[in-house]
């Protein structure tokens, strides 16, 4: 019997908090704290909470195990359903996700219309502006509906207020306002904005509860994405693609021939687990087949050998990762995910080694070129895989250091693609680290938030190398690091040439850059809100003054000016007609924070790109 609380749909929690009086809202955070510890779990999934002698809250999740309607949460007190007890119990539960699509779900046989949100209530839609030659002025129609513009504007304002409050004041009421605005955005078809808002709410919860693994930098990035998305949409000039889609849209893909690259486990924080198998077409187009369902770690571990539910194929994911498929009537999403519609037919094909096309082209160009291309297309970077041949240097701290086998290559840091100790990634990397001088062919996902960092999902031997992996023939020249466990017999018995282990990892151009001052200011605002930035600006070492001199000396003048403008805006204290202090609008502060955060993200991406292209000594780092 599970001891976890059932996830709650965001709109249900938002409505419960909205129905509270102002007096009860002030008590909500205290009532929610520690509420989960006293929950009683029944065999049928029902969860009860006791508040004193007269109040008993009961959560009855639906068949999917989620609270999706208000009547699934009841309280026995006289104020119910507008009571503090019910809102506290709902607030203690995790937020529900939109369930991932099952791999075997039938997909539409025709391409759906572009998702720009629902039509107006009258049934009309507003067309996007057509392209015109440069220099030509033509009248343009709005690309978003009036309802979408209103929802985006409301979400921007609520997000600005949440940023001004920060983690310290971002309790249940602030979170509920974000959830309400996110739900309104979803109803208006702004799916991407809703997802960004939910990430901020989850980040605020994790930060307030001091959960292990929570990074303030992650919450800062979530706020930046939310404000950027809502701000663009509210302006009315955003690309309709920025709205996102509620469901993965599948379009007819005709006949395809794909070959397996590798498979990797999927494990989400909301209880979903499974596997995704990466595939390549002969022309190099990437595809994937996923099988992600509720089940957590056990599901992620077992799905690696589960059958592939695609057009009657007789392969499992382990076989597909080293085999191939000929698919007739394929349906494909924009991300390259293959659907399992009723008209799809698939037959197995012999696999292709990494030394053969199409996989060989992944390892043909330097890693720096591949990373530069990914940085230019952040959306593609989320799922793209990068291949390179490396020589193992050894482990320093939490990193496995390797060097790409090309002249003047920098040290690369390898980190587990998924750090969960029950998955094989960490153990495999530790074993590889004990063989300095070993040459590897690595396929992984670059971590674009860290300098020269790769998270490998599979490894294989380097063709023609003497000191490289010795994998079983049936593995077809690669090992999936999340599922296959490397043993001593898979490594060369001869001692490789000595590779000197650096005394340290060398300078980190991102950490050593004076940009850390801007990063600290932004994170101070996220943690303590507008007041914390204002207090820092009024401190003995003014943030708007001498503390940004290193930025200017390093040539980062724009970063210094944006940071100073943020500090000044945070300390702006308008007065009413009687000279009394008035609360300033959060909009100006949010725009100043977003400008500094956007500039910082762009500057850090430049440093990250440079860290892949040259040795650390060649990357300019100046002044702390």
């Amino acid at each position: 019997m599970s001891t976890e609380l059932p996830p709650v749909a965001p709109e249900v929690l938002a409505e419960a908090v909205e129905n509270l009086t102002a007096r009860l809202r002030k008590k909500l955070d205290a009532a929610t704290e520690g509420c989960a510890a006293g929950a009683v779990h029944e065999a049928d999934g029902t969860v009860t909470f006791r508040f004193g002698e007269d109040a008993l809250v009961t959560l009855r999740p639906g068949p999917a195990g989620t609270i999706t309607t208000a009547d699934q949460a009841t309280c026995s007190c006289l104020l119910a359903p507008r009571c503090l007890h019910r809102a506290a119990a709902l607030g203690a539960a995790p937020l529900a996700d939109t369930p991932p699509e099952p791999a075997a779900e039938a997909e539409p046989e025709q391409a759906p219309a572009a998702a720009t949100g629902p039509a107006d209530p009258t049934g009309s839609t507003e067309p996007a502006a057509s392209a015109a030659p440069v220099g030509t002025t033509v009248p343009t129609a709005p690309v978003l509906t009036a309802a979408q513009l209103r929802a985006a504007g409301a979400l921007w304002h609520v997000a600005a207020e949440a940023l001004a409050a920060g983690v310290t004041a971002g309790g249940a009421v602030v979170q509920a306002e974000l959830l309400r605005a996110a739900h309104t955005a979803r109803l208006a078809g702004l799916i991407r904005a809703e997802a960004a808002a939910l990430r901020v709410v989850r980040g605020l919860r994790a930060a307030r509860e001091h959960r292990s693994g929570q990074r303030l930098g992650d919450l800062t990035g979530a706020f930046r994405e939310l404000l950027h998305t809502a701000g663009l949409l509210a302006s009315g000039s955003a690309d309709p693609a920025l709205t996102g889609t509620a469901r993965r849209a599948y379009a007819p893909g005709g006949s395809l021939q794909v070959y397996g690259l590798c498979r990797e486990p999927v494990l989400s924080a909301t209880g979903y687990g499974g596997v995704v198998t990466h595939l390549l077409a002969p022309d190099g187009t990437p595809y994937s087949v996923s099988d992600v369902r509720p089940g957590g770690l056990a599901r992620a571990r077992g799905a690696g050998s589960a059958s592939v539910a695609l057009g009657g194929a007789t392969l499992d994911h382990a076989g597909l990762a080293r085999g191939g498929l000929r698919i007739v009537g394929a349906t494909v999403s924009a991300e390259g995910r293959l659907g399992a519609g009723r008209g799809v037919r698939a037959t197995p094909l012999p696999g292709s080694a990494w030394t053969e096309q199409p996989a060989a082209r992944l390892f043909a160009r330097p890693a720096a070129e591949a990373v530069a291309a990914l940085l230019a297309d952040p959306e593609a970077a989320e799922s793209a895989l990068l291949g390179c041949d490396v020589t193992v240097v050894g482990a320093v701290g939490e990193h496995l250091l390797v060097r790409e086998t090309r002249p003047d290559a920098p040290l690369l840091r390898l980190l587990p693609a998924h750090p969960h100790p029950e998955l094989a990634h960490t153990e495999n990397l530790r074993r590889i680290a004990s063989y300095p001088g070993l040459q590897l062919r690595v396929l992984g996902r670059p971590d674009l938030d860290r300098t020269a960092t790769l998270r490998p999902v599979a490894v294989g031997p380097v063709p023609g190398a003497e000191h490289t992996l010795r994998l079983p023939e049936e593995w077809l020249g690669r090992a999936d690091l999340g599922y296959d466990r490397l043993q001593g017999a898979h490594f060369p018995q001869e001692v490789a040439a000595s590779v000197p282990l650096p005394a340290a990892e060398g300078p980190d151009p991102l950490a050593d850059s004076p940009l850390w001052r801007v990063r600290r200011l932004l994170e101070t605002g996220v943690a303590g809100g507008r007041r914390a930035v204002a207090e820092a600006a009024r401190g003995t070492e003014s943030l708007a003054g001498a503390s940004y001199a290193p930025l200017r000396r390093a040539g980062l003048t724009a970063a210094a000016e944006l940071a100073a403008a943020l500090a000044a805006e945070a300390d702006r204290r308008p007065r009413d007609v009687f000279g009394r202090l008035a609360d300033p609008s959060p909009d100006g502060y949010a725009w100043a924070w977003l400008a500094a955060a956007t500039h910082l993200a762009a500057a850090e991406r430049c440093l990250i790109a440079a860290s892949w292209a040259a040795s650390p000594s060649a990357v300019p780092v100046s002044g702390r």
Side-chain angles (χ1 to χ4, degrees), residues 259-264 275-280 289 304 308 315-325 351-354 443 458 474-476 478-480 483-484:
Y259 297 94
L261 276 177
C262 62
R263 61 194 162 133
E264 63 172 319
V275 63
V276 57
T277 298
H278 300 279
L279 310 163
L280 270 185
V289 174
V308 176
L315 290 173
D316 58 18
H317 281 272
L320 180 56
R322 296 180 173 93
L325 287 177
S352 173
W354 282 2
L443 186 67
E474 60 270 19
W475 286 16
L476 204 63
R478 63 262 206 175
D480 299 327
Y483 290 106
D484 301 321

Side-chain angles (χ1 to χ4, degrees), residues 241-266:
L242 194 63
T243 60
T245 54
R247 286 176 54 85
R248 188 176 296 112
Y250 283 79
S255 296
L256 292 177
Q257 196 168 304
V258 293
Y259 297 94
L261 276 177
C262 62
R263 61 194 162 133
E264 63 172 319
V266 176

